[in-house]
Amino acid sequence: MSSQQLPGGGMSIYSGYTKLCKGLAVVLVGSHIVVQILPSVVSYLALIPAKTIPFAWNLVTAGYVEQSIPGLVVSIIGLLFIGKLLEPIWGSREFLKFIFVVNFLTSVCVFVTAISLYYITTQETYLYMPISGFQGVLSGFLVGIKQIIPDQELSSLKIKAKWLPSLALLVSIVVSFFTTDSAQYLPTVIFGTYIGWIYLRYWQRKPETKLKGDPSDEFAFSTFFPEPLRRVIDPVSTIFERLLCGRRSESSDESAGYASGGSLLPGSDPIEASRRRERGARALEERLAAEQLAASGRAEETQRDATENV
């Protein structure tokens, strides 16, 4: 698919948000207000590894608690803008499922990492540091954009959408060298990106094909890295794929996407992945066109009212 550029002018940034995204934004705002009014609530809602047992629910609640205003603003903006692209394509149920799975498994990975770092360094900071925020899910959203519209060019950044997850990771890692609280967000960003890819690569169901995941080469793990590094990463990622997802990697006819008669099953080859990306790009273009038309109509109505008033 040829490179496309996002239209910039005439687009309304105040419309098109889904009800689900608005509801989740209200949850983020509400949890932030509660934490500011009752700071002690952080001990029960944020992920504090030393208290996760028996407070296991913080593996779920931590992702919806923003302790800072900048974090809250970034999370709400990312949720609303990315959500109105992904949710219409995935469907509300799948979109919500993606958020829940990525948030929960990211928290589990962060918990295991914190416990491991404590045993390695014997520093209790890793046990009692309150970790929370929606950045893990936002990182997963960027992986979704990479999958759906990889060749879409972002006019403001002059890069293709497929590099957004890698760019976010790179920026987070660079910033971590200049901040003292990087342990509160960097593991979440890293694991959110990886879990988001795992979900879309192996677990996401395709109702139209009744298959799972996206086995296309364009969505392989090595595509997160520059071309020169892929020769090294591909063999390593293949080994881990066979170890962790053996059933998927077996060279049987079924896992290779072939029916008993030898014909290729729909959705199991790169053609289906290409069609999915085309549908994503088409849905984005239709949404942008609708927003431009609505904005143009409002502008004409405003101008007409102003003329009548004069």
Side-chain angles (χ1 to χ4, degrees), residues 35-90:
V35 167
Q36 298 304 312
I37 297 176
L38 301 172
S40 60
V41 174
V42 174
S43 300
Y44 299 95
L45 297 181
L47 175 60
I48 301 178
K51 297 182 178 181
T52 299
I53 300 175
F55 299 160
W57 60 79
N58 61 33
L59 293 172
V60 176
T61 59
Y64 308 104
V65 177
E66 288 290 353
Q67 301 182 51
S68 67
I69 293 180
L72 177 65
V73 172
V74 171
S75 295
I76 291 178
I77 292 176
L79 171 63
L80 293 178
F81 278 87
I82 302 178
K84 73 176 182 178
L85 169 63
L86 296 181
E87 185 182 344
I89 297 174
W90 289 350

Side-chain angles (χ1 to χ4, degrees), residues 285-299:
E285 291 172 356
E286 291 174 354
R287 176 172 291 275
L288 292 175
E291 291 179 350
Q292 287 179 343
L293 182 61
S296 177
R298 285 193 296 270

Side-chain angles (χ1 to χ4, degrees), residues 80-143:
L80 293 178
F81 278 87
I82 302 178
K84 73 176 182 178
L85 169 63
L86 296 181
E87 185 182 344
I89 297 174
W90 289 350
S92 298
R93 183 176 180 180
E94 179 62 29
F95 183 73
L96 186 60
K97 180 182 176 182
F98 177 85
I99 292 175
F100 178 82
V101 172
V102 171
N103 175 60
F104 175 72
L105 292 183
T106 297
S107 295
V108 171
C109 292
V110 171
F111 169 75
V112 173
T113 301
I115 297 297
S116 301
L117 289 174
Y118 166 71
Y119 280 109
I120 293 173
T121 64
T122 67
Q123 295 184 15
E124 293 187 354
T125 305
Y126 294 112
L127 292 181
Y128 295 97
M129 179 183 301
I131 303 172
S132 65
F134 201 65
Q135 61 268 16
V137 177
L138 291 182
S139 300
F141 283 167
L142 294 181
V143 179

Side-chain angles (χ1 to χ4, degrees), residues 56-254:
W57 60 79
N58 61 33
L59 293 172
V60 176
T61 59
Y64 308 104
V65 177
E66 288 290 353
Q67 301 182 51
S68 67
I69 293 180
L72 177 65
V73 172
V74 171
S75 295
I76 291 178
I77 292 176
L79 171 63
L80 293 178
F81 278 87
I82 302 178
K84 73 176 182 178
L85 169 63
L86 296 181
E87 185 182 344
I89 297 174
W90 289 350
S92 298
R93 183 176 180 180
E94 179 62 29
F95 183 73
L96 186 60
K97 180 182 176 182
F98 177 85
I99 292 175
F100 178 82
V101 172
V102 171
N103 175 60
F104 175 72
L105 292 183
T106 297
S107 295
V108 171
C109 292
V110 171
F111 169 75
V112 173
T113 301
I115 297 297
S116 301
L117 289 174
Y118 166 71
Y119 280 109
I120 293 173
T121 64
T122 67
Q123 295 184 15
E124 293 187 354
T125 305
Y126 294 112
L127 292 181
Y128 295 97
M129 179 183 301
I131 303 172
S132 65
F134 201 65
Q135 61 268 16
V137 177
L138 291 182
S139 300
F141 283 167
L142 294 181
V143 179
I145 292 179
K146 170 186 173 67
Q147 180 197 39
I148 294 175
I149 48 172
D151 295 323
Q152 196 83 28
E153 186 176 283
L154 306 180
S155 57
S156 57
L157 300 177
K158 300 298 181 181
I159 62 172
K160 292 184 178 180
K162 64 182 179 181
W163 293 114
L164 285 178
S166 305
L167 182 61
L169 278 173
L170 179 61
V171 171
S172 299
I173 293 173
V174 171
V175 171
S176 68
F177 289 104
F178 303 96
T179 58
T180 57
D181 59 346
S182 59
Q184 292 183 328
Y185 69 86
L186 186 58
T188 307
V189 172
I190 294 174
F191 287 121
T193 301
Y194 187 64
I195 297 299
W197 176 77
I198 287 288
Y199 182 90
L200 296 175
R201 179 73 168 177
Y202 301 107
W203 300 339
Q204 188 181 51
R205 290 185 177 274
K206 303 294 187 301
E208 66 274 12
T209 61
K210 297 182 180 180
L211 297 175
K212 289 184 178 181
D214 182 356
S216 63
D217 293 337
E218 292 81 2
F219 196 57
F221 182 71
S222 60
T223 60
F224 286 85
F225 299 87
E227 189 71 32
L229 297 178
R230 295 180 187 178
R231 297 179 181 178
V232 178
I233 295 172
D234 272 329
V236 177
S237 62
T238 300
I239 294 174
F240 277 95
E241 183 174 350
R242 290 177 178 176
L243 290 175
L244 301 177
C245 308
R247 293 181 180 179
R248 176 67 176 270
S249 301
E250 290 175 355
S251 58
S252 63
D253 287 343
E254 182 178 359

